[in-house]
Amino acid sequence: METSLAQGFNETAAAAYAAFPQELKKLVVFLTPSSDTPVYVSPEVAAQLTKSTADIKAAVEKVANGMHDRGSIGTALKKFNLAGTPVDLIALDRDNKRGAFSERYTQEMRLLFTLDHEIGHHIVKNGYP
């Protein structure tokens, strides 16, 4: 499931980028916990990302811990410093079962819904609380 889920996230993010290239030009999507490899990186920011896997892993771990502490399945962060590069980050917690979801929702359904929701934060004017 992991590979197909990551591929689905990549395809969803790529389609959103194609529809909203200006709003998502710095988009990076991670599936946590313990992933230092993004499932999607927009073309405009890919070349700017540092090659420091340790720095990226530490930054993603910090975000994942914050999400876990809040009981959040996803987060959208604007101008997040990802190892020295400002990106518009979306992180999704594949292990978190909390939230406003019915037990009938599969993990994949919850995560895809949350990905779409977090993308909305980046594309809607004033889409952040």
Side-chain angles (χ1 to χ4, degrees):
M1 181 174 119
E2 181 67 30
T3 302
S4 65
L5 185 59
Q7 182 63 33
F9 280 13
N10 180 284
E11 291 168 2
T12 297
Y17 170 78
F20 301 96
Q22 188 60 33
E23 294 84 349
L24 300 176
K25 66 184 175 186
K26 294 187 176 199
L27 181 63
V28 176
V29 180
F30 278 93
L31 184 60
T32 67
S34 69
S35 174
D36 55 12
T37 305
V39 294
Y40 177 81
V41 178
S42 67
E44 283 87 346
V45 78
Q48 298 172 22
L49 284 179
T50 180
K51 300 295 183 201
S52 175
T53 305
D55 291 343
I56 292 172
K57 185 174 183 173
V60 172
E61 185 175 327
K62 181 179 176 180
V63 171
N65 288 340
M67 288 169 47
H68 179 74
D69 291 347
R70 291 186 312 276
S72 176
I73 193 170
T75 191
L77 303 168
K78 193 164 187 74
K79 298 179 184 174
F80 179 78
N81 182 351
L82 184 58
T85 301
V87 301
D88 294 334
L89 183 77
I90 292 176
L92 301 154
D93 184 346
R94 67 175 165 239
D95 291 342
N96 192 335
K97 304 276 192 271
R98 293 182 234 172
F101 297 102
S102 163
E103 289 298 319
R104 295 178 298 172
Y105 284 67
T106 66
Q107 176 190 37
E108 184 174 351
M109 291 166 68
R110 286 190 299 270
L111 287 167
L112 286 170
F113 172 87
T114 303
L115 175 60
D116 288 343
H117 172 88
E118 300 305 339
I119 288 172
H121 283 294
H122 287 295
I123 62 174
V124 174
K125 185 177 179 178
N126 300 321
Y128 292 91

